[in-house]
Amino acid sequence: MTDEPDLLVDDRNDIRTLTLNRPHRKNAVTWDMWARLRDALIAAGDDPGVRALVLTGAGGAFCSGADVSVLTAGHPARKMRLLTQVASQLQELPMPAIAKVRGVAVGAGWNLALGCDFIVATPESTFAQIFTRRGLSLDLGGSWLLPNLVGLHQAKRLALLAETIDANQARELNLVTWVVPGEEIDLFVDDLATRLASGPPVALAQTKALLNEGASGSLRDALGAEARAQGVNFATVDAPEAFSAFTEKREPRFSGGWALDDLPSKTMAGSRAGENNA
């Protein structure tokens, strides 16, 4: 046991890392910790200086789920609303999120990883939808995430049998994006997060939302959403910057700035010029 916070927040080069920090419990999450994680996700989503997010665990484990050994007062429905808020905030983050998974990711811990946009694991990582072994059913979005990611029959296999699978099996089911050696995972995730953080933040946010919504919507809905999203993208400085970088044969410098920020000053300058010429 230590006096360290159970959730660590680190900012570096536009990348925010949230680390679940209860290694003595394989980072099992208490109810108070769920609230802190929810608040940390809200803060990240509201911070324009955060352009990529990494979620990981301390001490060789990602997360062993909710800590059911810690009893707290309150109706279960109130507690489940907290889990709902965490899952929603994670899904709706405007910036890309990466789960860096060492060791176990089980129950709500696995669904926490599945709620991210990318999962990077090591060969030693293991995964389980452990809920039925505890007399419980899926939570933290698992009942939506699994069927959307692997199809209904494989989702039932994982959830009803509560099997433990390794990283390579998870990769074959498209539940892990990359499997890399343990000694390489930090550099791999740092490089991935850096590449994402250097991208056009508004376009990345629009694309992420389109894919999330399109996964369970109709083609007509997707086409309408795409048209609206492009209108937002064209109103940023990033679209013309990408074109300039292409013609100048250099890497683009994306900022997510709003192209109309200086329109009032230009309009006023034009009006004054018109008055002087009258």
Side-chain angles (χ1 to χ4, degrees):
M1 300 292 291
T2 70
D3 294 329
E4 279 193 334
D6 53 20
L7 180 66
L8 306 178
V9 181
D10 177 69
D11 286 329
R12 191 173 306 169
N13 300 327
D14 301 323
I15 301 164
R16 178 162 297 175
T17 299
L18 302 180
T19 303
L20 307 175
N21 188 38
R22 298 184 73 225
H24 60 288
R25 295 288 298 167
K26 294 187 177 179
N27 301 315
V29 184
T30 65
W31 292 109
D32 288 343
M33 194 173 164
W34 284 121
R36 283 187 280 277
L37 180 57
R38 174 202 59 198
D39 294 345
L41 292 170
I42 293 172
D46 288 341
D47 190 338
V50 179
R51 294 176 58 169
L53 184 134
V54 176
L55 182 61
T56 191
F62 181 74
C63 177
S64 57
D67 193 341
V68 295
S69 70
V70 179
L71 300 178
T72 57
H75 196 283
R78 182 180 180 88
K79 297 176 182 179
M80 290 310 301
R81 280 199 300 272
L82 181 54
L83 290 187
T84 299
Q85 291 165 354
V86 170
S88 297
Q89 289 299 328
L90 184 58
Q91 190 75 12
E92 294 169 11
L93 280 175
M95 72 286 296
I98 306 163
K100 181 166 66 174
V101 178
R102 288 188 176 92
V104 299
V106 300
W110 190 6
N111 292 337
L112 196 59
L114 292 176
C116 294
D117 304 298
F118 305 97
I119 299 178
V120 185
T122 70
E124 297 76 28
S125 302
T126 57
F127 305 85
Q129 294 288 332
I130 201 170
F131 299 97
T132 58
R133 287 194 234 162
R134 304 290 182 261
L136 300 170
S137 54
L138 299 166
D139 61 26
L140 211 80
S143 62
W144 184 88
L145 290 163
L146 284 173
N148 273 278
L149 291 168
V150 302
L152 184 58
H153 283 181
Q154 289 292 346
K156 287 179 177 178
R157 165 202 160 189
L158 293 168
L160 298 180
L161 295 175
E163 297 175 331
T164 297
I165 62 174
D166 62 29
N168 288 320
Q169 290 172 304
R171 176 69 186 88
E172 290 171 1
L173 290 168
N174 293 321
L175 294 172
V176 163
T177 323
W178 293 281
V179 179
V180 300
E183 65 272 15
E184 298 176 13
I185 191 170
D186 289 334
L187 285 176
F188 186 95
V189 171
D190 287 348
D191 177 69
L192 175 61
T194 298
R195 288 161 55 199
L196 291 167
S198 66
V202 174
L204 288 178
Q206 296 290 317
T207 301
K208 174 177 173 175
L210 287 170
L211 291 171
N212 285 341
E213 294 164 9
S216 57
S218 68
L219 175 60
R220 181 179 294 275
D221 291 338
L223 291 171
E226 288 172 2
R228 291 188 294 272
Q230 290 294 43
V232 174
N233 294 326
F234 280 121
T236 71
V237 298
D238 288 341
E241 164 61 14
F243 179 76
S244 296
F246 175 76
T247 58
E248 296 166 12
K249 295 181 172 55
R250 61 172 175 81
E251 289 296 316
R253 296 179 290 272
F254 294 123
S255 67
W258 188 240
L260 304 182
D261 275 345
D262 60 346
L263 183 60
S265 60
K266 288 182 178 179
T267 303
M268 291 179 65
S271 299
R272 286 194 294 270
E275 292 170 1
N276 293 336
N277 291 331

